[in-house]
């Protein structure tokens, strides 16, 4: 078992080791390869192996892995820290490039700037590292502070970055109520969706009667396009563990559960490693750091049911039962896991806790807005030039995220909307692109913060089809326990199908409005209550598109295939290239004469448009 003095020695020794790579006099080099899921999927593993192979005989070079730095679309990422601390960020690296970087940059001293971030991403031309990249200039990393900085499988590196220092002070210098007071004064709100004040949740659980209490972590990240929690678990698992131990101390709980979906194998593996390391260091288990406080932690795997992201369904699943929500009250703080008081927060909420204790609640409270403190992590994706993980102060505008960080829509396309909050959120139109990103501002325009998915759509997207896409997900993920959600969402989906196929009338829009209100008011849990949000927000801001589909039988964006007609224009020279690729023989005409398309045979597969070299086929 480690004592406080042991941790101080580990921290000091590891800091000295890491600083050795910043000392010009020692001529040491540190090579870091991003080994999160996004990096591994892009080919980071052979890059790491190539680096290890090429440096095996170089005593002054250390090669290590780290988590995601946020540049998911530019993976694999390889960073070189030269003597003196000069940083070079190489992107889209393959094993051959990695070998070149080792030979030319590390051995011969010539940086290969053509492979660095500045030469390979929009708006970054003048930089060679993340330190100067425009992608990061408006970001502030609190929850993700250690991702991309430390080896997530090395507890000593976490300790070197002040890891477990908050736990040390809490167990030896602070009472449980003092710990809760710090969280209360920080103004931290839940990052999982509704934004309930975290300190209040901790206070309720602490005040609940009973000798047995539990601490739970919601890592069942299920929103389409969201991967913030996965990246945090892969890049900095010890921060979640430390926060949960602090929470257990604060509320008087001795057992914790991390509920993580089984589709996250790397996150699960690194959590297992981190838990085992924490136990070996005496940071989990009996009499932590020699005190009379004991706390243990277990992982529970989810089977991928979206409804299990709802807190009562999650706890029911941990208990080994079918993951279905249950009525509230009683709330989990009073009656949760196994009928006992339970504190439940999501991964990102817990990730903020150690920073607040390390840097002071006052400094956290200075960041953000009056009612939304700190930062928020977003998975920025869709029709945006620079995609990846973004962490910005609360109150940052949507325009800053999309245009300044994401570099706008690619191909010169116009920004049309952004979907926040996943299938439970709403679409924010271009007219509200300057909305501050915080709980109240997003709620006022019909959207929500949610867990942090942020999907950008451009002028080529049909908003009716976008609403149908998210509702399709909700229908499939409904647990079926309550009638409004089970039947209501399916009925809404059927109406949206009719609209996009040109078979609906105005009465269907009225029915859709009525269904949205009924499902919102009467569903048992948050999944059903928020399922109408994508429909409500698109009908509110893009009603003209719904009307066009219903009255004119046209899709203004040209995205709904049932309403499209493929027509050959006067540019046609009769080359017959389109005839040869049409799978249904829908195209006819004499050679060197203008051809025509039979709309009854055309299946709108786009094969003819892709083959035509003259732009002779239009979608109308």
């Amino acid at each position: 078992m480690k004592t406080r003095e042991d941790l101080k020695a580990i921290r000091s020794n590891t800091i000295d080791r890491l600083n050795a790579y910043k000392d010009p006099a020692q001529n040491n080099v540190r090579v870091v390869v991003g080994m999160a899921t996004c990096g591994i999927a892009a080919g980071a593993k052979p890059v790491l192996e190539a680096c290890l192979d090429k440096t095996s005989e170089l005593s002054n070079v250390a090669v290590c892995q780290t988590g995601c730095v946020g540049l998911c679309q530019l993976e694999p990422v390889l960073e070189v820290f030269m003597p003196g601390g000069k940083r070079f960020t190489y992107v889209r690296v393959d094993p051959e490039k990695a070998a070149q970087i080792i030979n030319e940059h590390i051995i011969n001293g010539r940086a290969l700037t053509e492979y660095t971030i500045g030469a390979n991403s929009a708006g970054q031309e003048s930089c060679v590292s993340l330190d100067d990249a425009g992608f990061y200039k408006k970001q502030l990393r609190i929850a993700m502070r250690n991702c991309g900085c430390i080896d997530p499988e090395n507890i000593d590196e976490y300790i070197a970055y002040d890891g477990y220092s908050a736990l040390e002070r809490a167990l030896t210098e602070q009472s449980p109520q003092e710990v809760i007071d710090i969280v209360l004064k920080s103004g931290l709100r839940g990052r999982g969706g509704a934004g309930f004040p975290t300190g209040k949740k901790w206070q309720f659980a602490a005040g609940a009667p009973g000798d047995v209490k539990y601490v739970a972590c919601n890592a069942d990240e299920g929103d389409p396009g969201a991967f913030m929690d996965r990246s945090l678990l892969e890049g900095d698992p010890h921060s979640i563990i430390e926060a949960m131990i602090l929470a257990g101390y604060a509320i008087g709980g001795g057992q914790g559960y991390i509920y993580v979906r089984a589709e996250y194998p790397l996150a699960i593996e690194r959590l297992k490693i981190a838990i085992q390391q924490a136990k070996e260091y005496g940071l989990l288990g009996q009499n932590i750091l020699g005190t009379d406080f004991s706390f243990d932690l277990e992982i529970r795997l989810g089977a991928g049911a979206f409804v299990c992201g709802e807190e009562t369904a999650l706890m029911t699943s941990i208990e080994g039962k079918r993951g279905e929500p249950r009525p509230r009250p009683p709330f989990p703080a009073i009656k949760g896991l196994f009928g006992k008081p339970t504190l439940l927060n999501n991964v990102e909420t817990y990730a903020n806790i150690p920073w607040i204790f390390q840097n002071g609640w006052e400094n956290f409270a200075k960041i953000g807005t009056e009612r939304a403190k700190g930062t928020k992590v977003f998975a920025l994706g869709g029709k945006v030039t620079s995609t990846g993980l973004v962490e910005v102060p609360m109150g940052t505008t949507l325009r800053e995220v999309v245009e300044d960080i994401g570099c706008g829509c690619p191909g010169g396309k116009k920004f049309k909307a952004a979907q926040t909050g996943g299938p439970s959120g709403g679409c924010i139109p271009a007219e509200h692109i300057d909305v501050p990103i915080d709980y109240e501002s997003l709620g006022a325009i019909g959207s929500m913060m949610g867990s942090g998915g942020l999907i950008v759509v451009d002028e080529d997207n049909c908003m009716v089809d976008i609403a149908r896409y998210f509702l399709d997900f909700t229908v499939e993920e409904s647990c079926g326990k309550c009638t409004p959600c089970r039947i209501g969402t399916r009925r809404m989906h059927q109406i949206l199908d009719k609209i996009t196929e040109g078979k609906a009338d105005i009465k269907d829009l009225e029915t859709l409005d009525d269904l949205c209100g009924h499902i919102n008011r009467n569903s048992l849990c948050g999944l059903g209550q928020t399922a109408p949000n994508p429909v409500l927000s698109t009908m509110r801001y893009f009603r003209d598109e719904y009307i066009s589909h219903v009255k004119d039988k046209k899709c203004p964006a040209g995205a709904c295939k049932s309403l499209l007609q493929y027509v050959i224009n006067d540019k046609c020279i009769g080359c017959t290239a389109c005839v040869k690729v049409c799978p249904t023989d829908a195209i006819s005409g004499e050679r060197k004469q203008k051809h025509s398309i039979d709309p009854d045979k055309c299946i709108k597969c786009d094969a003819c448009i892709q083959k035509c070299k003259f732009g002779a086929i239009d979608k109308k």
Side-chain angles (χ1 to χ4, degrees), residues 99-156:
Q100 290 180 45
I101 291 166
I102 301 299
N103 286 330
E104 293 298 322
H105 191 170
I106 295 177
I107 297 176
N108 297 327
R110 183 181 74 85
L112 300 178
T113 55
E114 64 269 29
Y115 298 156
T116 60
I117 183 175
N120 290 276
S121 56
Q124 321 290 343
E125 290 79 4
S126 62
C127 68
V128 296
S129 79
L130 291 181
D131 295 333
D132 305 311
F135 184 78
Y136 280 88
K137 285 185 178 177
K138 291 198 173 182
Q139 294 196 47
L140 176 62
R141 291 164 75 87
I142 292 180
M144 294 189 65
R145 61 197 175 278
N146 292 330
C147 294
C149 298
I150 66 172
D151 180 347
E153 297 181 15
N154 187 331
I155 188 173
D156 290 354

Side-chain angles (χ1 to χ4, degrees), residues 37 152-153 219-220 229-235 237 241 258-276 298-304:
T37 292
E153 297 181 15
D220 189 62
D229 292 353
R230 185 197 73 203
S231 295
L232 284 166
L233 293 173
E234 292 175 356
I241 294 171
I258 301 178
Y259 187 84
V260 57
R261 54 180 43 221
E263 292 97 323
Y264 286 176
L266 183 60
I268 294 166
E269 180 62 25
R270 289 186 176 160
L271 269 175
K272 289 180 178 178
I273 292 171
I275 289 172
Q276 183 59 37
E298 295 181 25
I299 298 172
R300 287 289 185 270
L301 301 184

